[in-house]
Amino acid sequence: MTPMRSLYVDMNSFFASVEQQADPSLRGKPVAITAIDNESGACVAASYEAKAYGIKTGTRIYAAKELCPGIIFRPSRHRLYVRVNQKIARVINEIAELEFVRSIDEFQVALGGDSSSLDRALDLAREIKAAIREKVGSELRSSIGIGPNHLLAKIAGKLEKPDGLQWLAPENMPEAIRHLSLDDLPGISQGIKGKLYGAQIYDVKALYNLDPRHARMIWHSVEGERFIRALRGMDIPLMPTKRNGYGNSKVLAPEYRPPHKARLVGRWLVEKASERMRRDGYCTRHFHLSLRLTDGGRHAGKKIGATRDTRFLLSLYEGLWRDIRRRSNGDVLSISVHLGDLVLLTERNGDLFAPLSPGMPNKPEKLAIVIDHINRRFGERMVKYGEHQDPPGFFEKG
């Protein structure tokens, strides 16, 4: 039997389940989580009771009411979900080797030694499920996948929901997943799917049997070859990814669309993006602002010297905001900020006239780091850079 190297925990209907755990009156009832509390908003998550009516992520609120007249809506509470995510991570780490927290509701566990046998891996998966129910919450269910690598473990975790437990290995491939569509597989985007169709690869079995060297040509990248070899069960390590940028965007509720209010939401997005950029050790050399307005889309950007100073980035934002507003009088439907052309702080050149030491933060950037520490410690925006608006239903990316 092929040794198992990875176990993937995928929490089921996570946001809705957390709300049902927090409020017993919601248990067993159709619940949808919303980012914007009006008819034009959409559901960002749904309980399995709601999914039974056809409600899913992206379903409009008015449509959800038509599908399920008795549905209960709750506003998203990102901080609550993060706290539960961290608690689950601690519980898993007590009984297994937690390798990565992949997202707000996905966790990757490394297997080895005794746990690399299928029987022991299955026992460990059951132990993790029981520990989450006992120590985090009885309403929190998970689907767990086991495989000889990360890709197969993740695919296995998607096969049975809710509360599933499945494994994939060369011993049961590709028959175990032949019912899936190509784009059901993680890593197969619509663009890659189109390229596969162009190469007359229409189903999972044909993909599995594809020559890895041919896959490299289809993908126009070594990632195609790596994908096929991983699909066949080889222990292919995940390649470290290089950041292209940090961005946040927000579709605004009607009350935040007037320009004077939308501007404050944009300031919040800049603060959050720059904070995440500092956390990961990067500086940005390009700032971009995009607005979708009632009279059309507008955008502006500027190249800058490598920086991670929030105050400086906010001053850039204000200047670009004024430039755009001079060309438009419309309300703001959505706003997006992006920090691009990244360079690691450790690789940033010095500047004798700035003054700026090579690979070291300057004084404003050191102050920003102190503010980050304070805000993380106290869990609130104890220190902020002037006036901003924390938008409801905001979810960080990356």
Side-chain angles (χ1 to χ4, degrees):
M1 183 72 189
T2 303
M4 298 297 163
R5 301 296 183 194
S6 187
L7 183 151
Y8 207 88
V9 181
D10 185 356
M11 302 304 298
N12 303 146
S13 293
F14 183 58
F15 297 165
S17 296
V18 170
E19 296 292 347
Q20 289 175 319
Q21 182 65 41
D23 183 355
S25 70
L26 299 178
R27 297 176 187 178
K29 298 178 181 178
V31 177
I33 310 303
T34 64
I36 299 175
D37 187 19
N38 62 54
E39 293 293 317
S40 64
C43 302
V44 298
S47 68
Y48 273 92
E49 295 84 359
K51 289 178 179 179
Y53 289 87
I55 298 165
K56 56 186 178 180
T57 300
T59 300
R60 294 291 180 183
I61 291 177
Y62 68 83
K65 290 179 178 178
E66 293 175 356
L67 291 168
C68 178
I71 191 168
I72 302 169
F73 295 101
R74 287 289 185 269
S76 59
R77 296 193 286 174
H78 185 59
R79 291 187 180 93
L80 172 61
Y81 309 145
V82 169
R83 289 198 298 271
V84 177
N85 166 279
Q86 293 170 343
K87 191 171 183 179
I88 293 171
R90 289 194 296 270
V91 168
I92 294 174
N93 205 43
E94 289 174 358
I95 56 179
E97 183 186 345
L98 180 60
E99 191 173 17
F100 295 107
V101 177
R102 285 293 171 194
S103 68
I104 193 75
D105 61 352
E106 295 180 319
F107 307 83
Q108 183 179 333
V109 172
L111 301 177
D114 290 342
S115 66
S116 64
S117 71
L118 178 58
D119 288 344
R120 181 65 189 101
L122 290 169
D123 288 341
L124 180 61
R126 297 184 187 103
E127 188 177 351
I128 289 172
K129 283 173 171 285
I132 292 173
R133 288 194 298 267
E134 178 183 348
K135 298 182 178 181
V136 186
S138 59
E139 297 302 305
L140 299 177
R141 294 173 290 180
S142 61
S143 290
I144 295 183
I146 298 167
N149 57 46
H150 164 74
L151 177 64
L152 289 185
K154 183 170 184 175
I155 296 172
K158 307 290 184 182
L159 290 178
E160 182 183 359
K161 291 189 175 184
D163 204 25
L165 175 55
Q166 295 288 336
W167 61 275
L168 292 174
E171 286 78 0
N172 65 354
M173 288 284 287
E175 287 75 17
I177 64 168
R178 66 185 305 164
H179 62 286
L180 299 179
S181 301
L182 290 177
D183 50 6
D184 287 332
L185 304 181
I188 304 295
S189 64
Q190 287 299 313
I192 295 296
K193 180 181 176 181
K195 292 179 180 179
L196 289 169
Y197 276 15
Q200 299 184 338
I201 305 297
Y202 301 115
D203 55 42
V204 167
K205 185 176 181 179
L207 179 66
Y208 185 86
N209 293 323
L210 182 65
D211 187 314
R213 294 167 296 181
H214 190 190
R216 182 193 285 243
M217 296 174 62
I218 294 172
W219 260 258
H220 299 297
S221 166
V222 69
E223 288 305 311
E225 181 176 345
R226 289 170 54 83
F227 184 90
I228 297 302
R229 295 191 185 280
L231 197 64
R232 293 179 180 176
M234 291 184 63
D235 187 14
I236 304 293
L238 293 173
M239 296 291 287
T241 57
K242 185 181 186 303
R243 272 280 189 176
N244 294 317
Y246 288 81
N248 284 325
S249 59
K250 189 74 180 73
V251 176
L252 301 181
E255 61 266 33
Y256 295 107
R257 292 175 183 172
H260 68 285
K261 291 187 177 180
R263 171 182 153 269
L264 299 182
V265 173
R267 288 181 61 89
W268 168 263
L269 299 180
V270 173
E271 286 192 36
K272 296 301 293 182
S274 57
E275 181 181 339
R276 291 188 293 116
M277 181 179 66
R278 279 191 300 274
R279 177 199 66 193
D280 293 344
Y282 286 100
C283 305
T284 180
R285 294 177 291 194
H286 187 267
F287 185 95
H288 189 86
L289 172 66
S290 295
L291 302 180
R292 185 165 64 89
L293 304 144
T294 52
D295 57 357
R298 302 285 190 279
H299 60 88
K302 188 171 184 180
K303 291 186 176 181
I304 53 178
T307 184
R308 61 212 311 253
D309 177 14
T310 296
R311 290 191 302 171
F312 178 72
L313 294 172
L314 283 170
S315 68
L316 282 176
Y317 165 78
E318 294 288 359
L320 295 177
W321 177 274
R322 288 192 294 270
D323 289 345
I324 291 176
R325 293 306 304 171
R326 278 195 287 266
R327 294 179 276 138
S328 171
N329 294 316
D331 280 354
V332 183
L333 301 176
S334 67
I335 183 167
S336 175
V337 299
H338 185 262
L339 311 179
D341 193 12
L342 300 179
V343 60
L344 287 167
L345 173 64
T346 54
E347 298 175 0
R348 183 173 68 178
N349 295 327
D351 188 332
L352 180 62
F353 301 101
L356 186 66
S357 300
M360 298 293 291
N362 59 23
K363 287 185 177 179
E365 292 170 347
K366 290 178 180 178
L367 176 60
I369 293 171
V370 172
I371 292 173
D372 292 345
H373 288 324
I374 293 172
N375 288 337
R376 280 197 293 268
R377 178 177 179 182
F378 293 98
E380 298 288 345
R381 307 305 290 179
M382 298 295 294
V383 182
K384 57 185 180 179
Y385 299 83
E387 191 177 9
H388 67 224
Q389 174 61 54
D390 180 355
F394 175 75
F395 291 88
E396 294 181 68
K397 296 179 288 184

